[in-house]
Amino acid sequence: MARRGTSKTLSGDVYSQLRDAILLGQVRPGERLKPTALREEYDVSISVVREVLTRLAEQRLVVAEPNQGFSVAPLTRAHLEELVEARCSIEGLAIRMSVARGDLEWESKVLAVHHRLEGTPIWLEGPEKVINPEWVSVHAAFHATLLEACGNSIILDVCASLFDMAELYRRWNETGTSTVTRDVAKEHRDLAAAALEHDAELAEKLLVEHIRTTRDMALTGIPALAREAAGEQPA
Amino acid sequence: MARRGTSKTLSGDVYSQLRDAILLGQVRPGERLKPTALREEYDVSISVVREVLTRLAEQRLVVAEPNQGFSVAPLTRAHLEELVEARCSIEGLAIRMSVARGDLEWESKVLAVHHRLEGTPIWLEGPEKVINPEWVSVHAAFHATLLEACGNSIILDVCASLFDMAELYRRWNETGTSTVTRDVAKEHRDLAAAALEHDAELAEKLLVEHIRTTRDMALTGIPALAREAAGEQPA
DNA sequence: ATCGCAATAAGAATCGATAGTTAGCTCAGG
DNA sequence: CCTGAGCTAACTATCGATTCTTATTGCGAT
């Protein structure tokens, strides 16, 4: 039997592992997630795998078709557009509240996590451009921290969930394919600065732009979406 | 074995049944949901029960404590406050979009579902004041329809989920205990009217007031919350 | 009497086996 | 050559048994 990790339950461990695998792009959007295969990979029983898949399906990271099993959520143009609109509205709301209410402790935290982000390379060493899992995690923490002082854990939950869904689109962006150029580090720097100066309006504006730029990258940088935009079949 | 209902899978059926049972207040907030008992009640195996509980936990209608099983989400003052704030912000956003964008078809639907709501009695016949499940469902449909034209299914999902969480607070309100008085039918009527006239600002204002009034009712009308407010232990 | 430990019982998590479903293939009939 | 009923293989959903965890109770030591 598989030994327990950091979580209290076996399924909790497998849950975080599979979730990370999906968010890190180790399995393709739309690809089927066969319980039997996962059972072997994680060395747990089928029931545990099903529980994990069920949880991920409830969060829409995975889709469940009755009697046809589970697959990683597919990437589509329409979904991306809705997701971006939702994030702009809701995360926009949250950052305004957060920047307005944030106290000294929050400021310190923003500063700290932004510094950490600046010091973490996006790509792993080596010839292949493979994303640094550490960067993914710090990047998520940076965005979460910006919103954190909004003081409403329900809103924060919603934002975290939307951010996760968007992670898939960030991940499957092929570098070099997109015609859009950007300076992500600068966007983050400006965002942090606006937050620290408690300029809620500016912070919201920068966050919205940041999210929209990511969308524009994805629309041209993800082959399936670029094709879809050109009127062809999605992959 | 339990026979299949409307859903494609057995667990899908049990899911809706248990969910309804919780939303209709057939099991008390905080009460434990023992797999063995539910297994017998629904005549399905323990695995199906666990899958259902896992899904409900993911939506926060149920809480899962590792190695201590599941229970219906408890009602607390702090949670209610956050929920109300979140609903005002997010549903407010959605209704503004919806009212601005709604077309003729949407108007007709609002009119129809509001008429249906007016014609459905809140309480079932009889001496006991027991809520009419039909009203609960039409009421949910009315609120969903108001937001529907916002055109963003992700935002609608979030709103539906928040509305469900709030259902618990509506349900456990004991009539007569609250000092707050209201005319719910009028609130709904005004809301529908503002929507039909495409007055987005007014519709948002009315919706926010509607949600806040519900909160005020709950704070005095739910014994556990009233006690909590008075500085005592929550039930 | 109170504390701490061990035994126990109740219940939760995990397992592998069985039943049920769907998609794909084969082959007879048109 | 096409169609579709029936078969088959692959996979999904459901089941009940087993293993593991936690809370409780009883008992002896302080």
Side-chain angles (χ1 to χ4, degrees):
Chain A
M1 183 179 116
R3 197 52 244 132
R4 192 85 24 101
T6 56
S7 161
K8 281 273 171 64
T9 66
L10 193 46
S11 65
D13 284 331
V14 176
Y15 173 75
S16 1
Q17 289 181 56
L18 182 53
R19 188 164 171 283
D20 285 352
I22 292 172
L23 293 181
L24 290 173
Q26 285 160 17
V27 13
R28 226 179 308 281
E31 190 173 322
R32 298 193 52 195
L33 293 164
K34 299 191 190 169
T36 313
L38 296 169
R39 193 212 82 84
E40 302 213 330
E41 181 172 349
Y42 293 106
D43 189 26
V44 295
S45 105
I46 219 99
S47 330
V48 170
V49 171
R50 274 190 66 86
E51 171 167 337
V52 166
L53 289 171
T54 300
R55 287 177 65 184
L56 291 168
E58 209 61 26
Q59 318 190 159
R60 310 289 133 89
L61 242 40
V62 153
V63 300
E65 276 309 314
N67 283 316
Q68 286 174 225
F70 301 85
S71 45
V72 181
L75 267 32
T76 71
R77 193 185 166 83
H79 180 252
L80 175 59
E81 300 280 9
E82 292 200 339
L83 183 55
V84 165
E85 186 176 27
R87 289 189 65 200
C88 288
S89 309
I90 300 178
E91 291 188 36
L93 188 77
I95 203 172
R96 243 185 294 133
M97 290 165 63
S98 182
V99 165
R101 297 182 188 178
D103 60 5
L104 183 60
E105 193 182 328
W106 170 76
E107 291 172 18
S108 316
K109 206 167 165 189
V110 168
L111 205 52
V113 70
H114 178 254
H115 180 72
R116 187 129 180 269
L117 184 62
E118 292 250 278
T120 309
I122 293 200
W123 308 106
L124 287 179
E125 308 265 335
E128 302 289 323
K129 273 215 170 183
V130 49
I131 199 90
N132 181 358
E134 176 66 12
W135 185 86
V136 173
S137 137
V138 177
H139 179 238
F142 173 68
H143 276 271
T145 304
L146 283 177
L147 311 181
E148 201 176 79
C150 88
N152 189 309
S153 62
I154 296 176
I155 294 180
L156 289 177
D157 263 13
V158 170
C159 291
S161 159
L162 296 177
F163 185 88
D164 281 350
M165 288 192 198
E167 189 70 44
L168 282 185
Y169 289 93
R170 285 188 282 274
R171 200 68 335 111
W172 289 94
N173 229 313
E174 290 189 3
T175 53
T177 318
S178 174
T179 52
V180 183
T181 56
R182 74 190 297 190
D183 183 346
V184 192
K186 179 175 188 307
E187 293 175 25
H188 287 147
R189 197 154 49 236
D190 293 347
L191 214 33
L196 290 173
E197 303 202 358
H198 294 278
D199 187 337
E201 293 308 315
L202 179 60
E204 181 183 7
K205 176 169 163 283
L206 292 173
L207 181 59
V208 166
E209 284 172 3
H210 182 64
I211 294 171
R212 296 220 165 105
T213 304
T214 303
R215 173 198 56 194
D216 296 339
M217 294 281 293
L219 282 177
T220 51
I222 299 181
L225 299 186
R227 256 180 280 130
E228 200 184 338
E232 292 170 43
Q233 296 298 324
Chain B
M1 182 180 116
R3 196 53 245 131
R4 189 97 11 111
T6 57
S7 160
K8 282 275 173 62
T9 66
L10 192 48
S11 66
D13 284 331
V14 177
Y15 173 74
S16 358
Q17 289 181 53
L18 183 54
R19 187 164 171 284
D20 286 352
I22 293 172
L23 293 181
L24 290 173
Q26 286 160 16
V27 332
R28 226 179 307 282
E31 190 174 322
R32 298 193 52 192
L33 293 164
K34 299 192 189 166
T36 314
L38 296 169
R39 194 213 81 84
E40 302 213 331
E41 181 173 348
Y42 293 107
D43 189 26
V44 295
S45 105
I46 220 101
S47 330
V48 169
V49 172
R50 275 190 66 85
E51 170 167 338
V52 166
L53 289 171
T54 300
R55 286 177 65 184
L56 291 167
E58 208 62 26
Q59 317 189 161
R60 309 289 133 92
L61 243 38
V62 153
V63 299
E65 259 337 292
N67 282 316
Q68 286 174 225
F70 302 85
S71 45
V72 181
L75 267 31
T76 70
R77 193 186 166 84
H79 180 252
L80 175 59
E81 300 281 9
E82 291 201 339
L83 184 54
V84 165
E85 186 175 27
R87 288 189 64 200
C88 288
S89 309
I90 300 178
E91 292 189 34
L93 188 77
I95 203 172
R96 242 186 295 133
M97 290 165 65
S98 182
V99 166
R101 296 181 188 179
D103 59 7
L104 184 60
E105 193 183 326
W106 170 77
E107 291 172 17
S108 317
K109 205 167 167 189
V110 169
L111 206 51
V113 71
H114 179 254
H115 181 72
R116 187 129 181 268
L117 184 62
E118 291 251 277
T120 308
I122 292 199
W123 307 106
L124 286 180
E125 308 266 335
E128 302 289 323
K129 273 215 168 183
V130 49
I131 199 91
N132 181 358
E134 176 66 12
W135 186 85
V136 173
S137 137
V138 177
H139 179 237
F142 173 68
H143 277 271
T145 304
L146 283 177
L147 310 182
E148 199 177 79
C150 89
N152 188 309
S153 62
I154 295 176
I155 293 180
L156 289 177
D157 264 12
V158 170
C159 291
S161 160
L162 297 176
F163 184 88
D164 281 350
M165 287 191 199
E167 190 68 44
L168 281 185
Y169 289 92
R170 286 189 282 273
R171 200 66 337 108
W172 288 95
N173 228 310
E174 290 189 3
T175 54
T177 319
S178 175
T179 52
V180 183
T181 57
R182 74 189 298 190
D183 182 347
V184 192
K186 180 175 188 308
E187 292 176 26
H188 288 145
R189 201 155 45 237
D190 293 346
L191 212 33
L196 290 173
E197 302 201 359
H198 294 279
D199 188 338
E201 292 307 315
L202 180 60
E204 181 184 7
K205 178 169 161 283
L206 291 174
L207 181 60
V208 166
E209 284 172 3
H210 183 63
I211 294 172
R212 296 220 166 106
T213 304
T214 303
R215 174 198 56 194
D216 296 339
M217 295 280 294
L219 282 177
T220 53
I222 298 181
L225 299 186
R227 256 180 282 131
E228 199 184 339
E232 292 169 43
Q233 296 297 325

